[in-house]
Amino acid sequence: PHTPAARTKAFKPGDMVVAVDGKPVASYSEFDRICFDKRSEPIVVTVERGSEKSRADIKVDQGYVRTIGARMRMGEITAVR
């Protein structure tokens, strides 16, 4: 409940991350690298839920240690802590 993903209350299991800051993201490793590079900066994450897309603003923590609170499986969010 204290992770950046949980604080937004925007993500749900089954959502697929499709872009960060308007740029397509093809893999979890790419998403992870962007989060690491942008720690302490806000990012806009676009997710796809069914046929709908939504965006969420997230501020990646300075002490980012490879987690924003979303467990992913090839781009799909499977749980939010």
Side-chain angles (χ1 to χ4, degrees), residues 62-76:
Q62 172 62 34
Y64 177 73
V65 186
R66 304 287 190 227
T67 183
I68 63 163
R71 233 179 6 202
M72 299 177 73
R73 196 177 35 198
M74 290 307 293
E76 179 181 331

Side-chain angles (χ1 to χ4, degrees), residues 6-23:
R7 286 193 297 262
T8 69
K9 301 184 192 288
F11 299 123
K12 296 186 188 234
D15 288 354
M16 182 160 307
V17 174
V18 294
V20 174
D21 291 338
K23 296 176 185 164

Side-chain angles (χ1 to χ4, degrees), residues 12-75:
K12 296 186 188 234
D15 288 354
M16 182 160 307
V17 174
V18 294
V20 174
D21 291 338
K23 296 176 185 164
V25 174
S27 67
Y28 176 76
S29 62
E30 186 177 2
F31 176 74
D32 184 61
R33 182 188 51 75
I34 292 167
C35 289
F36 182 78
D37 290 345
K38 297 213 170 209
R39 55 196 184 279
S40 291
E41 296 179 33
I43 60 173
V44 178
V45 178
T46 303
V47 296
E48 201 169 75
R49 183 178 301 145
S51 62
E52 301 289 318
K53 287 187 181 176
S54 63
R55 294 170 31 159
D57 295 326
I58 296 177
K59 183 171 183 201
V60 181
D61 294 335
Q62 172 62 34
Y64 177 73
V65 186
R66 304 287 190 227
T67 183
I68 63 163
R71 233 179 6 202
M72 299 177 73
R73 196 177 35 198
M74 290 307 293

